[in-house]
Amino acid sequence: MASTYSFDIVSDYDRQELVNALDQATREIQGRYDLKDTKTKMDLGESTITVNTASEFALQAVHTVLQTKAAKRNLSLKIFDFGTVESASGGRVRQEITLKKGISSDVAKQISKAIRDNFKKIQASIQGDAVRVSAKSKDELQTVIQFLKQEEWPVALQFTNYR
């Protein structure tokens, strides 16, 4: 039996679920009466989604559809970082949506400080773009997970490698 238990706090998303959400959103956009003739295109890159559509009104509707489909597939809406709207050729508009992955050092420091302030017997260490939390009891780790889920963080948090 291990003397200490630990888990990792990461910020990630399931890429296949994102692909599925984009596919569903594309099908809904092609079928919706108000968006049918906009010739909207959504291109998924390595870490961005590029949306090209007819107007800013259509772009807002695309945002709504995309966020709805992502939420239905259990993707956090915090992974989307909407960039500035640019004008494209032919009177169209384009927008880059950056997909956030990993915990920045500032957020990792905030998380580890919150754990240190509220739980004296638990250690939190920053390891790259993740935070490792360790303690002598699994019950204490469960308490930390519940505490972190109740707080509002600027990134989506997942808890992995629980052992």
Side-chain angles (χ1 to χ4, degrees):
M1 195 158 130
S3 62
T4 61
Y5 302 97
S6 67
F7 68 89
D8 294 334
I9 305 169
V10 297
S11 179
D12 202 358
Y13 58 89
D14 186 349
R15 184 153 178 95
Q16 187 57 49
E17 289 295 331
L18 181 65
V19 168
N20 293 342
L22 275 173
D23 185 45
Q24 287 180 337
T26 302
R27 278 192 254 138
E28 181 173 325
I29 288 166
Q30 289 171 350
R32 267 182 52 170
Y33 180 75
D34 59 339
L35 297 174
K36 191 179 284 189
D37 297 328
T38 60
K39 296 183 176 75
T40 299
K41 285 183 61 179
M42 289 191 291
D43 298 320
L44 177 62
E46 190 64 35
S47 63
T48 61
I49 301 170
T50 305
V51 179
N52 190 330
T53 190
S55 66
E56 287 198 36
F57 171 76
L59 185 63
Q60 293 304 317
V62 168
H63 286 180
T64 304
V65 171
L66 178 61
Q67 289 174 335
T68 303
K69 297 301 180 186
K72 284 185 181 176
R73 295 203 149 275
N74 293 327
L75 291 169
S76 173
L77 299 183
K78 293 179 181 178
I79 66 170
F80 299 120
D81 184 18
F82 296 98
T84 59
V85 178
E86 308 165 351
S87 57
S89 62
R92 299 173 61 80
V93 293
R94 179 184 323 121
Q95 184 177 39
E96 288 250 327
I97 303 170
T98 306
L99 301 170
K100 292 193 271 185
K101 193 175 197 176
I103 300 175
S104 69
S105 61
D106 294 338
V107 175
K109 287 177 187 174
Q110 291 173 2
I111 291 171
S112 61
K113 182 176 180 346
I115 292 170
R116 277 195 315 271
D117 291 347
N118 292 294
F119 304 97
K120 301 298 179 205
K121 296 181 178 180
I122 297 176
Q123 294 82 38
S125 61
I126 300 170
Q127 297 181 338
D129 59 353
V131 177
R132 166 130 328 143
V133 179
S134 56
K136 293 196 182 291
S137 164
K138 285 186 176 181
D139 293 337
E140 291 173 340
L141 292 180
Q142 290 289 339
T143 308
V144 170
I145 290 173
Q146 293 306 316
F147 168 74
L148 292 172
K149 283 182 178 179
Q150 291 173 355
E151 297 293 313
E152 186 63 36
W153 301 102
V155 293
L157 298 180
Q158 289 85 33
F159 307 99
T160 61
N161 294 338
Y162 185 81
R163 53 189 132 155

